[in-house]
Amino acid sequence: MSITVAGLGVSGLSAARALAGLGASVTVVDGGDGPAHREKAALLKEEGISVRLGDAATLPEGTELVVTSPGWKPSSPLFDAARARGVDVVGDVEIAWRLRGPNAAPWLAITGTNGKTTTTQMLASILSAAGLRTAAVGNIGTPIVDVVLADRAAREARSIEGGGGRRVGDAYDVFAVELSSYQLHWAPSLRAHSGAVLNLAPDHLDWHGSMEAYAADKGRIYEGNQVACVFNVADKATEDLVREADVEEGCRAIGFTLGTPGPSELGVVEGILVDRAFVEDRHKSAQELAEVADVNPPAPHNVANALAAAALARAFGVEPAAVRDGLRNFTPDAHRIAHVADVADVAYIDDSKATNTHAAQASLAAYPSIVWIAGGLAKGATFDELVAGAADRLRGVVLIGADRALIREALERHAPEVPVVDLDRTDTGAMSAAVQEAARLARPGDTVLMAPACASMDMFTNYNKRGDAFAEAVRELGATSV
C-alpha cells in the first residue's frame, strides 16, 4: 500500500518504520521544518522512507491509507483531503491492532481523564507477579506498534520451531494498554479482552469539540470487550458508557468503589481490598485481595486505581495473591503524589502531574490540613467546584503562574477566610519562593501539597521539571532549617 504517516513524533516514526518494513510505500508529512525535523527526515530517507516537511495539509498523490499521530485534530486539512478521496484515517493503535497476527496476546485496556498511567503500571506489576510475560504499552513507554510486531515475530518463530520452553524474547501472554482519548478516536477496530474507564472530567475539549464527543471516544474502549467492562461506581458517566457499548456475549459490567462492594464489584471493607465479582458466589461471599496499606501511596484516588487494575487482572484469571504482591511491588512514577520530605513536622508532597482540576481534586481529598501550592496554565478550566470542595481542608494557599488569578477569585468566593499568598511571578525561581511561603503558613502536622490544577508550560518545560523544582526547593528548605 501507499501510506501517508502524519507527524514525526515517537508514534509516527514507529509506525513509518514498521509499515515500511512490511513492504508499504511510506511518506511522512509534518508541518515543521526546523533542524530537529530535518535530522529525523534524513534518518528516515536513509531507510527508504519519503519525508515532506513544511506542508501538513496536502495529501500525497496515490495515498491509500493515512496513519496519524494521536495529537493531530480530526479537523486537520490533511484528513479533510483524505476523507474527500475516500481514504481512511487511523492511528498507531489501530495499526498495532491490525498487525497483531494470529493467537496474539490479549489486551487489557485502560483509559480515563486521570490515573491512566499509574493504573496501567499497577496492572502490569500484578500480571508480572502472576508469572505472566507482559508489558505496559500504548500511551506509555515503548510504541505499541514495536511491541506488537516483536510479539508477532516471537510467535511466528516459536511456531516454526515447534513450540518449546519459554525463552528470553519469547511471546507475551498479555498486554496492559494505556489509551488516550486521541488514540481511541483513531482506533475503530480495537476489541480488547477487557477494558476500564477510570473517570471522566472535561479535558481536551478543544480537540474533541465537546464533552459528549470526548466521552464517546473514551467509551470506545468498551466496544467488543470479551470478558469485562470495568467502570467507576462513583462516576456514573463511566457506567453509562458501559450500557451504551456493544460487547461480546457474556461480557460483564464490573464496578469498583471505595465503599463496600455489591455483587459484581470490587471495593474496600475495613481497610481490605475485596472482590465480589470474580468469586463463585458473588451474592454471599467476597475474596480478600490486598490491604489498603499495600497500595503506594494509599491516597483514596490511588486505591481506586488499584481496584481498577485488580478488576482487569481478575478478569484475566489472576489469583488474589498476585494482586497483593503486584501492588506491594509497584513503585509510582515521580511527581504523582510523591512524598518529598518532612521539614519541621510538615510533609511536602509533589503532585505536579495534577495538571487539571479533576486530578487536583483527588489529591486535595487525600490530606486533612493543607497548604496548597497551585497555578499555571488553566487551559480554559474553572476552579469554583474544586475550591468549594477543598475549602475546609485548606490551611493556606500559595499561587503561582500565569492564570493564578482564576484560582484566587474562586478562593475569594468559596474560601474567603483562607490566607492566600499571590506570587506575581512566572519565572522558574518562583517555586523556591512558593515553598518558603508555604512553610511560613504551615503548622506541625500539615501537608504542603503542590497539586497545581494547571499545566506547567508558562513556567517550566513540562510537569516533570516543575516537580523537580519543587523537590529542590524543599531540599533547600530542609537544609536551612537544620
Side-chain angles (χ1 to χ4, degrees):
M1 297 183 71
S2 178
I3 300 176
T4 294
V5 174
L8 270 172
V10 173
S11 63
L13 292 173
S14 168
R17 287 177 167 133
L19 293 166
L22 293 170
S25 174
V26 178
T27 300
V28 180
V29 301
D30 195 290
D33 193 14
H37 295 87
R38 293 176 188 177
E39 183 178 347
K40 292 177 183 178
L43 292 172
L44 290 178
K45 289 175 181 177
E46 289 178 2
E47 300 171 38
I49 298 171
S50 299
V51 180
R52 191 186 68 202
L53 299 177
D55 179 4
T58 306
L59 187 69
E61 287 297 324
T63 297
E64 298 170 89
L65 178 70
V66 175
V67 179
T68 177
S69 298
W72 285 47
K73 292 184 179 181
S75 58
S76 297
L78 184 74
F79 305 153
D80 289 339
R83 285 185 284 266
R85 293 193 205 172
V87 174
D88 285 341
V89 180
V90 301
D92 63 320
V93 171
E94 175 71 13
I95 293 298
W97 183 255
R98 295 185 188 185
L99 293 179
R100 292 167 302 132
N103 304 313
W107 291 17
L108 301 176
I110 295 165
T111 195
T113 303
N114 292 299
K116 298 184 293 297
T117 297
T118 297
T119 305
T120 303
Q121 292 171 331
M122 282 180 171
L123 175 59
S125 182
I126 292 169
L127 295 170
S128 295
L132 298 167
R133 186 159 191 262
T134 190
V137 298
N139 195 42
I140 177 176
T142 306
I144 192 168
V145 171
D146 296 351
V147 179
V148 164
L149 286 180
D151 180 57
R152 175 174 169 170
R155 290 177 187 279
E156 290 172 350
R158 188 165 60 181
S159 175
I160 292 170
E161 294 169 11
R166 186 170 294 279
R167 307 179 299 280
V168 173
D170 207 348
Y172 289 90
D173 297 305
V174 59
F175 290 121
V177 187
E178 177 189 337
L179 296 173
S180 70
S181 56
Y182 301 164
Q183 290 172 315
L184 286 162
H185 180 90
W186 299 117
S189 301
L190 172 65
R191 300 292 183 267
H193 173 285
S194 299
V197 180
L198 304 176
N199 43 62
L200 282 173
D203 203 13
H204 305 303
L205 301 191
D206 57 337
W207 196 96
H208 293 277
S210 67
M211 184 63 195
E212 291 74 20
Y214 172 65
D217 280 333
K218 290 291 192 185
R220 288 179 181 234
I221 204 166
Y222 292 135
E223 290 300 315
N225 280 192
Q226 301 163 25
V227 175
C229 295
V230 177
F231 67 93
N232 185 345
V233 173
D235 192 335
K236 184 177 180 299
T238 64
E239 184 177 4
D240 291 342
L241 293 177
V242 176
R243 296 182 186 281
E244 295 164 6
D246 184 9
V247 300
E248 292 288 328
E249 184 72 26
C251 182
R252 297 170 57 199
I254 306 295
F256 65 90
T257 173
L258 292 175
T260 301
S264 294
E265 294 178 356
L266 281 73
V268 180
V269 177
E270 297 180 352
I272 304 295
L273 276 61
V274 298
D275 172 5
R276 288 191 66 188
F278 302 100
V279 291
E280 190 169 336
D281 186 355
R282 59 182 180 271
H283 293 282
K284 297 181 180 179
S285 62
Q287 172 66 57
E288 178 178 333
L289 298 176
E291 297 182 7
V292 169
D294 294 323
V295 180
N296 180 25
H301 69 285
N302 210 40
V303 174
N305 293 337
L307 288 165
L312 289 171
R314 294 286 283 159
F316 197 67
V318 169
E319 293 297 319
V323 175
R324 178 200 63 210
D325 293 345
L327 292 176
R328 287 178 178 175
N329 294 339
F330 170 71
T331 301
D333 283 349
H335 314 301
R336 290 169 166 83
I337 203 163
H339 180 265
V340 176
D342 288 336
V343 180
D345 294 325
V346 174
Y348 288 78
I349 304 296
D350 168 14
D351 198 19
S352 186
K353 184 62 170 67
T355 58
N356 57 45
T357 57
H358 189 265
Q361 182 181 46
S363 192
L364 287 163
Y367 305 99
S369 183
I370 300 165
V371 177
W372 180 30
I373 299 177
L377 287 178
K379 300 184 299 182
T382 58
F383 298 90
D384 289 270
E385 183 178 350
L386 174 64
V387 169
D392 62 349
R393 296 171 176 265
L394 296 178
R395 166 84 68 184
V397 180
V398 181
L399 297 175
I400 58 175
D403 292 331
R404 64 190 180 280
L406 297 174
I407 305 176
R408 186 185 66 241
E409 291 162 5
L411 287 161
E412 290 169 354
R413 287 189 288 270
H414 303 288
E417 303 302 319
V418 174
V420 176
V421 176
D422 188 338
L423 290 177
D424 186 13
R425 297 173 58 177
T426 56
D427 61 287
T428 55
M431 186 60 76
S432 180
V435 168
Q436 292 172 24
E437 291 292 345
R440 184 178 59 80
L441 293 171
R443 300 291 180 267
D446 287 349
T447 298
V448 171
L449 174 65
M450 202 268 290
C454 293
S456 61
M457 287 79 75
D458 58 331
M459 296 171 60
F460 301 94
T461 306
N462 50 45
Y463 74 82
N464 296 289
K465 295 294 186 183
R466 179 170 61 187
D468 290 343
F470 174 77
E472 179 59 29
V474 172
R475 285 191 287 269
E476 292 173 357
L477 180 71
T480 59
S481 64
V482 173

